[in-house]
Amino acid sequence: MLRPSQPALTLFAATLALAISSSVYADNRQNWRAIRTQTPDTSEYTAGAELRSGDTVPVAVSLQLRNRAQLETFAANLMSGTSGSALSSEQFLAQYAPSSADVEAVVQHLRQSGYVNIEVSENRLLVTAEGTAATAGKAFNVRMARYSRGERQAYANTNAPVVPAALANIVLSVHGLQTVHTAHTAQIQALNVSTAYATAGKVGHSPTAWPDIYNASALPTAAKTSIGIITAGGVSQTLTDLNTFATSAGYARPAVSVVNARRVSNVSSTSDNTAEWNIDSQNALGAAGGAVKSMVFYNAASMVESDLTAAINAAVSANVAKVISISIGECETNARASGTAAADDQIFLAGIAQGQTFVVASGDAGSYTCGGSSSAQSYPASSPYVIAVGGTSLSTSSTGAWASETVWACSTASTCASNGGTGGGASLIEPAPSWQLSAKVLGTSTRRGVPDLAFAGDPSSGAITVVKGAKLQYGGTSLSAPIFAGFWARIQSANNNRLAFPAPALYKYGVAQTGLFHDVTSGSNGGYSAAKGWDYTSGFGSLNVGAFAAFVTSSGAFLAQ
């Protein structure tokens, strides 16, 4: 009897696998139910062949909150000071996390579909597993294909995934089925800074200067408050540079830890984002007055959405950091299609209920985060459960004091994309939260308005940051966000970490308390222009931190009680 050749065996195996997987896709879908994950926009990519059945496709399954409406009410009452103290991790698990039975149902479905190394996050909001295209097909009735754009290779689901009807009220979304859309950082290095900028008072600043510039120096440091930073890839150089910066600034070296979130993608982070994490950590520490209780890097394996969701959830599940800075974002409509926005929003909500505040950079492409000539915002900055921070162009006096701020400006979609400019505008995917509607700052819009505040972001007036031992000047809203994170941590420390997520009180009182802000009234980000009071380029503007902190303490409006 003749043995088939190796190529013939390979062809036979591939054909058999395709036939088996195709039978899965052909299943009657009447017993399946839709979830929040859809097919991604692949219009800029060239479609290739289907993934082979054995190709690796790890996933992260986001589970729905239990009693979501009650948690929303609890969070609202917490922010208004009427519901007592923030939830402990144990209280969240007992009242609002997915039940153990629901988690077990998802785990069993994944296991029966062929997934292995299944892990459940401590707060039960995320289940991660390792599998293949074939297991994805069996678990979610989905096809997977390859895509390319230039040298970049990716894969994506070609139809919307579904789950069995029994899991319809348990599973919110599934992540890891696509690597076409990834998040990006929001920092820009200042190159060839002209003397004209210096003449106008726009010069680079040490992170140690932010307290003097924004009137925070009289406040206690953030020594009682832990700051979290969402990162991706390697952070070892960042830790070295942070120690170098602290020593040169005369600070004690901060207590630092790294929490590596579970890898749920098979795409490694090829970019060196050391500068980004250095900007975040050094400027947060500087704004915090040089001391924090601890600084925790919640580190994702890559910039793929599923990995970042795991890192964000790790910060909430740990419930250690009171303030968490995120200088990462993506086109908000992509985040909606993948289910990332739905998943991350409920994670941010859980954080608010636990007394945590996420601070997010608004993006560096003006109002055109999604490309093209139409305005769209960056996610997660557009989430109603975070504080979004835009960028300004800062001028200081000869003594280093605050002099003025304008919008970190750009004019058209092309110049905003090439030169940078502060993100801001009306969200395409998120409804306006009640606190923005009540403040009547949005005009006739009913969509979430971004940003809430703004701080130095223009690279020409940016931060002189230690990167791989060298001092380099950077800007971007990646600078703006950690500046506020450091200040808010400082205010939290002064109030024994009893302050709630500040957005509702900020909007309730900010319209009338104009003395708390440096109003930014000039400049455009392409789609929107600055104006007196709150606007879509700078929010309320930057803070006079000393005055703001005094109001926070004296009014009691920000206390969770």
Side-chain angles (χ1 to χ4, degrees):
M1 177 176 170
L2 293 176
R3 294 176 179 241
S5 65
Q6 185 62 38
L9 281 172
T10 302
L11 178 61
F12 172 77
T15 302
L16 179 61
L18 181 60
I20 292 173
S21 64
S22 294
S23 69
V24 174
Y25 303 132
D27 270 355
N28 187 334
R29 293 172 69 91
Q30 67 181 1
N31 294 322
W32 299 79
R33 297 292 183 269
I35 55 176
R36 298 293 287 273
T37 302
Q38 301 299 311
T39 54
D41 178 6
T42 57
S43 58
E44 296 183 358
Y45 283 74
T46 301
E50 280 194 14
L51 261 62
R52 294 169 298 183
S53 62
D55 285 342
T56 302
V57 182
V59 295
V61 181
S62 177
L63 276 60
Q64 298 183 40
L65 284 165
R66 181 163 39 114
N67 304 323
R68 169 74 181 257
Q70 291 93 320
L71 184 61
E72 293 272 11
T73 300
F74 175 88
N77 290 338
L78 183 72
M79 291 181 286
S80 66
T82 60
S83 71
S85 58
L87 293 174
S88 67
S89 297
E90 292 74 20
Q91 289 171 322
F92 174 80
L93 280 173
Q95 300 175 56
Y96 302 108
S99 69
S100 297
D102 285 348
V103 171
E104 183 58 26
V106 173
V107 169
Q108 285 298 325
H109 176 64
L110 293 174
R111 185 174 292 126
Q112 290 168 4
S113 300
Y115 282 100
V116 296
N117 296 330
I118 302 170
E119 295 183 10
V120 180
S121 67
E122 290 186 11
N123 62 3
R124 303 185 200 140
L125 288 178
L126 208 62
V127 179
T128 59
E130 296 177 8
T132 64
T135 51
K138 187 174 182 180
F140 307 113
N141 211 341
V142 69
R143 289 180 181 271
M144 304 291 300
R146 298 185 183 280
Y147 292 87
S148 62
R149 186 177 66 180
E151 295 183 357
R152 186 170 190 276
Q153 302 295 314
Y155 61 76
N157 50 300
T158 62
N159 63 301
V162 289
V163 296
L167 300 180
N169 294 322
I170 301 174
V171 173
L172 179 68
S173 52
V174 177
H175 314 282
L177 296 177
Q178 68 90 22
T179 58
V180 168
H181 299 300
T182 61
H184 51 80
T185 58
Q187 46 86 10
I188 298 176
Q189 185 175 358
L191 300 173
N192 301 319
V193 179
S194 70
T195 55
Y197 280 119
T199 302
K202 297 177 183 178
V203 296
H205 302 279
S206 167
T208 62
W210 304 127
D212 286 338
I213 292 171
Y214 288 109
N215 188 29
S217 295
L219 292 176
T221 68
K224 298 179 182 179
T225 303
S226 293
I227 294 178
I229 298 174
I230 303 299
T231 60
V235 294
S236 58
Q237 182 63 51
T238 291
L239 304 186
T240 299
D241 288 337
L242 180 60
N243 285 334
T244 299
F245 163 71
T247 299
S248 65
Y251 300 153
R253 291 187 175 186
V256 174
S257 59
V258 179
V259 176
N260 289 309
R262 171 78 154 82
R263 171 184 280 277
V264 292
S265 77
N266 63 352
V267 176
S268 62
S269 181
T270 56
S271 299
D272 181 1
N273 290 310
T274 295
E276 176 59 70
W277 320 138
N278 290 18
I279 295 166
D280 290 345
S281 56
Q282 292 172 34
N283 287 282
L285 183 61
V292 294
K293 182 177 181 180
S294 67
M295 186 170 286
V296 187
F297 294 85
Y298 294 97
N299 192 45
S302 78
M303 297 289 278
V304 173
E305 292 172 324
S306 51
D307 287 338
L308 291 171
T309 292
I312 292 168
N313 190 56
V316 172
S317 187
N319 195 15
V320 170
K322 279 293 182 181
V323 187
I324 304 100
S325 184
I326 303 179
S327 293
I328 299 169
E330 66 172 316
C331 169
E332 59 179 347
T333 54
N334 292 339
R336 176 179 58 187
S338 67
T340 294
D344 290 0
D345 274 357
Q346 69 170 18
I347 294 171
F348 294 138
L349 171 61
I352 289 174
Q354 294 178 167
Q356 297 174 292
T357 295
F358 281 84
V359 179
V360 184
S362 69
D364 292 357
S367 69
Y368 309 105
T369 295
C370 295
S373 57
S374 298
S375 292
Q377 303 313 307
S378 177
Y379 186 88
S382 61
S383 171
Y385 304 103
V386 307
I387 296 293
V389 185
T392 66
S393 183
L394 170 69
S395 294
T396 51
S397 68
S398 58
T399 61
W402 184 92
S404 65
E405 280 175 287
T406 60
V407 170
W408 176 33
C410 57
S411 56
T412 65
S414 60
T415 58
C416 290
S418 59
N419 300 330
T422 184
S427 173
L428 298 178
I429 71 167
E430 297 277 17
S434 59
W435 32 268
Q436 277 196 322
L437 293 173
S438 297
K440 302 186 185 304
V441 296
L442 302 178
T444 59
S445 175
T446 58
R447 314 304 296 179
R448 164 72 159 125
V450 175
D452 303 303
L453 296 167
F455 288 89
D458 185 340
S460 67
S461 58
I464 300 171
T465 306
V466 177
V467 180
K468 298 180 181 179
K471 292 185 177 180
L472 304 174
Q473 187 169 325
Y474 285 90
T477 55
S478 284
L479 169 60
S480 315
I483 290 175
F484 175 67
F487 287 148
W488 185 242
R490 204 164 177 165
I491 298 169
Q492 276 281 20
S493 276
N495 289 273
N496 296 312
N497 294 314
R498 295 174 57 218
L499 301 179
F501 177 69
L506 179 69
Y507 278 82
K508 181 177 181 179
Y509 297 100
V511 173
Q513 297 290 333
T514 56
L516 306 182
F517 310 99
H518 302 124
D519 194 7
V520 178
T521 60
S522 63
S524 168
N525 69 352
Y528 301 89
S529 296
K532 186 177 180 180
W534 188 95
D535 59 68
Y536 283 113
T537 62
S538 62
F540 284 109
S542 67
L543 292 176
N544 177 330
V545 178
F548 182 75
F551 178 78
V552 167
T553 301
S554 63
S555 69
F558 294 76
L559 283 173
Q561 301 302 333

